[in-house]
Amino acid sequence: MQKLTEHVPVVNWRNRHVIISIVGCGGTGSQIATGMPYLHQALQAAGHPYGLRVFLIDGDRITETNCVRQPFSRSEVGLYKSVVLINRLNLFWGLDWEAVPHFVHCGQDVPDSDFLISCVDTRAARAAIAQVVRLKSRRFHYWLDTGNLADRGQFVLGQPLRKDRKDRAKRLPCVHELFPSIVHGGADKRDHLPACSAAEALDRQEPYINSTVANHVLALLARLFRYGRSPYHGGFVNLATGRVTPLSVDPDVWARMRKQAEKERRHLSR
């Protein structure tokens, strides 16, 4: 049997819109959303009859601190991030994409999607999404999770594990399967709290870590749509060293990571 070295989507996207739901419209989510119209136009230029249909999902409202690293102005303070962003994109690009101004707690909070992109900043929120994407009553072909610290970040594209999935051997593992602590809500209280001031926000996070991760996410999606395949399904970005390490489509790599993940689960369960 030939070794698996790349992922080839088995979904037929030619006869309908490609549906993308972005959960979280903060630093990374807003940057991904801003890049979506370019991906939409690239698809149409390549002959796709419909392009993208995007949903922005976030129950958070804009604060003054958000105006430092996120694409919001002080005149928008108090408004929903998702509504402000979607209106801006629709007006400028002539689109009819939709905002969903609430947080994700259950399957009814997110439309069925080809790609659910999570850009959340707590483990508890990510754990809720991990539950949603596995629901048998819903359809999520891919879950693309993003996250970052001050000067590092990661993105992982996976296919949610379901009992009715037929291509289990070739399935891309999701982020929580490889990194269990990323959905361990109990660890949230040990993390740094959100910055209360603009100066503190800049001190805790490099200005361009979010846009760097976002551009890698968009590039991965563009490659899947243009070439119909990809040799990687995620990556790790380090702005301090200038390095980007891909997460290869490789069962041997997944096996080693799953072995480490099992040790991590045992440690977390103590």
PDB file of all heavy atoms in Angstrom, residues 60-64 66-67 73-81 84:
ATOM      1  N   ASP A  60     -19.213  38.490  21.047  1.00  0.00           N
ATOM      2  CA  ASP A  60     -18.427  39.510  21.732  1.00  0.00           C
ATOM      3  C   ASP A  60     -18.698  40.896  21.140  1.00  0.00           C
ATOM      4  O   ASP A  60     -18.935  41.032  19.938  1.00  0.00           O
ATOM      5  CB  ASP A  60     -16.939  39.194  21.612  1.00  0.00           C
ATOM      6  CG  ASP A  60     -16.114  39.838  22.708  1.00  0.00           C
ATOM      7  OD1 ASP A  60     -16.717  40.406  23.643  1.00  0.00           O
ATOM      8  OD2 ASP A  60     -14.874  39.783  22.631  1.00  0.00           O
ATOM      9  N   ARG A  61     -18.633  41.906  21.997  1.00  0.00           N
ATOM     10  CA  ARG A  61     -18.789  43.293  21.556  1.00  0.00           C
ATOM     11  C   ARG A  61     -17.436  44.000  21.560  1.00  0.00           C
ATOM     12  O   ARG A  61     -16.514  43.617  22.287  1.00  0.00           O
ATOM     13  CB  ARG A  61     -19.771  44.037  22.465  1.00  0.00           C
ATOM     14  CG  ARG A  61     -21.211  43.518  22.389  1.00  0.00           C
ATOM     15  CD  ARG A  61     -22.107  44.261  23.364  1.00  0.00           C
ATOM     16  NE  ARG A  61     -23.459  43.725  23.395  1.00  0.00           N
ATOM     17  CZ  ARG A  61     -24.466  44.178  22.649  1.00  0.00           C
ATOM     18  NH1 ARG A  61     -24.255  45.191  21.804  1.00  0.00           N
ATOM     19  NH2 ARG A  61     -25.666  43.647  22.737  1.00  0.00           N
ATOM     20  N   ILE A  62     -17.312  45.020  20.767  1.00  0.00           N
ATOM     21  CA  ILE A  62     -16.058  45.756  20.599  1.00  0.00           C
ATOM     22  C   ILE A  62     -15.783  46.612  21.836  1.00  0.00           C
ATOM     23  O   ILE A  62     -16.676  47.301  22.342  1.00  0.00           O
ATOM     24  CB  ILE A  62     -16.120  46.646  19.349  1.00  0.00           C
ATOM     25  CG1 ILE A  62     -16.356  45.787  18.100  1.00  0.00           C
ATOM     26  CG2 ILE A  62     -14.838  47.461  19.192  1.00  0.00           C
ATOM     27  CD1 ILE A  62     -16.743  46.593  16.872  1.00  0.00           C
ATOM     28  N   THR A  63     -14.540  46.548  22.316  1.00  0.00           N
ATOM     29  CA  THR A  63     -14.081  47.403  23.407  1.00  0.00           C
ATOM     30  C   THR A  63     -12.979  48.329  22.888  1.00  0.00           C
ATOM     31  O   THR A  63     -12.458  48.135  21.785  1.00  0.00           O
ATOM     32  CB  THR A  63     -13.529  46.569  24.572  1.00  0.00           C
ATOM     33  OG1 THR A  63     -12.325  45.894  24.138  1.00  0.00           O
ATOM     34  CG2 THR A  63     -14.544  45.530  25.032  1.00  0.00           C
ATOM     35  N   GLU A  64     -12.601  49.306  23.703  1.00  0.00           N
ATOM     36  CA  GLU A  64     -11.538  50.223  23.285  1.00  0.00           C
ATOM     37  C   GLU A  64     -10.220  49.491  23.085  1.00  0.00           C
ATOM     38  O   GLU A  64      -9.444  49.822  22.186  1.00  0.00           O
ATOM     39  CB  GLU A  64     -11.381  51.348  24.309  1.00  0.00           C
ATOM     40  CG  GLU A  64     -12.515  52.362  24.269  1.00  0.00           C
ATOM     41  CD  GLU A  64     -12.159  53.647  24.987  1.00  0.00           C
ATOM     42  OE1 GLU A  64     -10.968  53.847  25.292  1.00  0.00           O
ATOM     43  OE2 GLU A  64     -13.063  54.452  25.227  1.00  0.00           O
ATOM     44  N   ASN A  66      -9.803  46.527  21.967  1.00  0.00           N
ATOM     45  CA  ASN A  66      -9.858  45.837  20.675  1.00  0.00           C
ATOM     46  C   ASN A  66      -9.416  46.728  19.523  1.00  0.00           C
ATOM     47  O   ASN A  66      -8.974  46.227  18.479  1.00  0.00           O
ATOM     48  CB  ASN A  66     -11.276  45.352  20.385  1.00  0.00           C
ATOM     49  CG  ASN A  66     -11.781  44.320  21.363  1.00  0.00           C
ATOM     50  OD1 ASN A  66     -12.966  44.243  21.643  1.00  0.00           O
ATOM     51  ND2 ASN A  66     -10.884  43.513  21.932  1.00  0.00           N
ATOM     52  N   CYS A  67      -9.525  48.031  19.687  1.00  0.00           N
ATOM     53  CA  CYS A  67      -9.206  48.960  18.598  1.00  0.00           C
ATOM     54  C   CYS A  67      -7.703  49.094  18.362  1.00  0.00           C
ATOM     55  O   CYS A  67      -7.281  49.776  17.423  1.00  0.00           O
ATOM     56  CB  CYS A  67      -9.803  50.340  18.890  1.00  0.00           C
ATOM     57  SG  CYS A  67     -11.603  50.319  19.089  1.00  0.00           S
ATOM     58  N   SER A  73     -12.787  50.561  15.121  1.00  0.00           N
ATOM     59  CA  SER A  73     -12.526  51.944  15.522  1.00  0.00           C
ATOM     60  C   SER A  73     -13.317  52.259  16.790  1.00  0.00           C
ATOM     61  O   SER A  73     -14.258  51.547  17.153  1.00  0.00           O
ATOM     62  CB  SER A  73     -12.947  52.913  14.408  1.00  0.00           C
ATOM     63  OG  SER A  73     -14.357  52.907  14.249  1.00  0.00           O
ATOM     64  N   ARG A  74     -12.939  53.348  17.434  1.00  0.00           N
ATOM     65  CA  ARG A  74     -13.613  53.730  18.682  1.00  0.00           C
ATOM     66  C   ARG A  74     -15.083  54.079  18.462  1.00  0.00           C
ATOM     67  O   ARG A  74     -15.893  53.986  19.376  1.00  0.00           O
ATOM     68  CB  ARG A  74     -12.862  54.885  19.343  1.00  0.00           C
ATOM     69  CG  ARG A  74     -11.590  54.426  20.033  1.00  0.00           C
ATOM     70  CD  ARG A  74     -10.798  55.563  20.667  1.00  0.00           C
ATOM     71  NE  ARG A  74      -9.720  55.033  21.477  1.00  0.00           N
ATOM     72  CZ  ARG A  74      -8.565  54.585  21.013  1.00  0.00           C
ATOM     73  NH1 ARG A  74      -8.352  54.588  19.699  1.00  0.00           N
ATOM     74  NH2 ARG A  74      -7.642  54.119  21.825  1.00  0.00           N
ATOM     75  N   SER A  75     -15.438  54.486  17.263  1.00  0.00           N
ATOM     76  CA  SER A  75     -16.846  54.779  16.974  1.00  0.00           C
ATOM     77  C   SER A  75     -17.700  53.513  16.965  1.00  0.00           C
ATOM     78  O   SER A  75     -18.928  53.596  16.989  1.00  0.00           O
ATOM     79  CB  SER A  75     -16.968  55.492  15.626  1.00  0.00           C
ATOM     80  OG  SER A  75     -16.548  54.632  14.565  1.00  0.00           O
ATOM     81  N   GLU A  76     -17.055  52.339  16.930  1.00  0.00           N
ATOM     82  CA  GLU A  76     -17.781  51.067  16.880  1.00  0.00           C
ATOM     83  C   GLU A  76     -17.826  50.363  18.235  1.00  0.00           C
ATOM     84  O   GLU A  76     -18.370  49.264  18.338  1.00  0.00           O
ATOM     85  CB  GLU A  76     -17.139  50.145  15.842  1.00  0.00           C
ATOM     86  CG  GLU A  76     -17.224  50.699  14.421  1.00  0.00           C
ATOM     87  CD  GLU A  76     -16.326  49.972  13.446  1.00  0.00           C
ATOM     88  OE1 GLU A  76     -15.257  49.464  13.878  1.00  0.00           O
ATOM     89  OE2 GLU A  76     -16.668  49.915  12.253  1.00  0.00           O
ATOM     90  N   VAL A  77     -17.250  50.976  19.261  1.00  0.00           N
ATOM     91  CA  VAL A  77     -17.236  50.377  20.594  1.00  0.00           C
ATOM     92  C   VAL A  77     -18.669  50.097  21.052  1.00  0.00           C
ATOM     93  O   VAL A  77     -19.554  50.949  20.949  1.00  0.00           O
ATOM     94  CB  VAL A  77     -16.519  51.296  21.601  1.00  0.00           C
ATOM     95  CG1 VAL A  77     -16.744  50.811  23.035  1.00  0.00           C
ATOM     96  CG2 VAL A  77     -15.027  51.353  21.301  1.00  0.00           C
ATOM     97  N   GLY A  78     -18.892  48.880  21.551  1.00  0.00           N
ATOM     98  CA  GLY A  78     -20.212  48.472  22.019  1.00  0.00           C
ATOM     99  C   GLY A  78     -21.010  47.668  21.012  1.00  0.00           C
ATOM    100  O   GLY A  78     -21.986  47.014  21.384  1.00  0.00           O
ATOM    101  N   LEU A  79     -20.601  47.700  19.743  1.00  0.00           N
ATOM    102  CA  LEU A  79     -21.299  46.939  18.708  1.00  0.00           C
ATOM    103  C   LEU A  79     -20.741  45.513  18.638  1.00  0.00           C
ATOM    104  O   LEU A  79     -19.617  45.249  19.070  1.00  0.00           O
ATOM    105  CB  LEU A  79     -21.146  47.622  17.351  1.00  0.00           C
ATOM    106  CG  LEU A  79     -21.653  49.059  17.244  1.00  0.00           C
ATOM    107  CD1 LEU A  79     -21.369  49.613  15.857  1.00  0.00           C
ATOM    108  CD2 LEU A  79     -23.152  49.133  17.559  1.00  0.00           C
ATOM    109  N   TYR A  80     -21.518  44.612  18.069  1.00  0.00           N
ATOM    110  CA  TYR A  80     -21.043  43.235  17.894  1.00  0.00           C
ATOM    111  C   TYR A  80     -19.945  43.184  16.838  1.00  0.00           C
ATOM    112  O   TYR A  80     -20.086  43.735  15.743  1.00  0.00           O
ATOM    113  CB  TYR A  80     -22.192  42.320  17.464  1.00  0.00           C
ATOM    114  CG  TYR A  80     -23.147  41.954  18.570  1.00  0.00           C
ATOM    115  CD1 TYR A  80     -24.430  42.491  18.599  1.00  0.00           C
ATOM    116  CD2 TYR A  80     -22.764  41.072  19.578  1.00  0.00           C
ATOM    117  CE1 TYR A  80     -25.321  42.147  19.607  1.00  0.00           C
ATOM    118  CE2 TYR A  80     -23.655  40.723  20.588  1.00  0.00           C
ATOM    119  CZ  TYR A  80     -24.919  41.268  20.608  1.00  0.00           C
ATOM    120  OH  TYR A  80     -25.797  40.929  21.606  1.00  0.00           O
ATOM    121  N   LYS A  81     -18.854  42.471  17.162  1.00  0.00           N
ATOM    122  CA  LYS A  81     -17.747  42.341  16.213  1.00  0.00           C
ATOM    123  C   LYS A  81     -18.208  41.686  14.911  1.00  0.00           C
ATOM    124  O   LYS A  81     -17.858  42.141  13.815  1.00  0.00           O
ATOM    125  CB  LYS A  81     -16.623  41.503  16.827  1.00  0.00           C
ATOM    126  CG  LYS A  81     -15.899  42.148  17.994  1.00  0.00           C
ATOM    127  CD  LYS A  81     -14.810  41.222  18.526  1.00  0.00           C
ATOM    128  CE  LYS A  81     -14.060  41.855  19.677  1.00  0.00           C
ATOM    129  NZ  LYS A  81     -12.996  40.968  20.210  1.00  0.00           N
ATOM    130  N   VAL A  84     -20.342  44.126  12.728  1.00  0.00           N
ATOM    131  CA  VAL A  84     -19.544  45.204  12.141  1.00  0.00           C
ATOM    132  C   VAL A  84     -18.713  44.676  10.978  1.00  0.00           C
ATOM    133  O   VAL A  84     -18.675  45.270   9.887  1.00  0.00           O
ATOM    134  CB  VAL A  84     -18.636  45.843  13.204  1.00  0.00           C
ATOM    135  CG1 VAL A  84     -17.599  46.768  12.557  1.00  0.00           C
ATOM    136  CG2 VAL A  84     -19.471  46.629  14.210  1.00  0.00           C
TER     137      VAL A  84
END
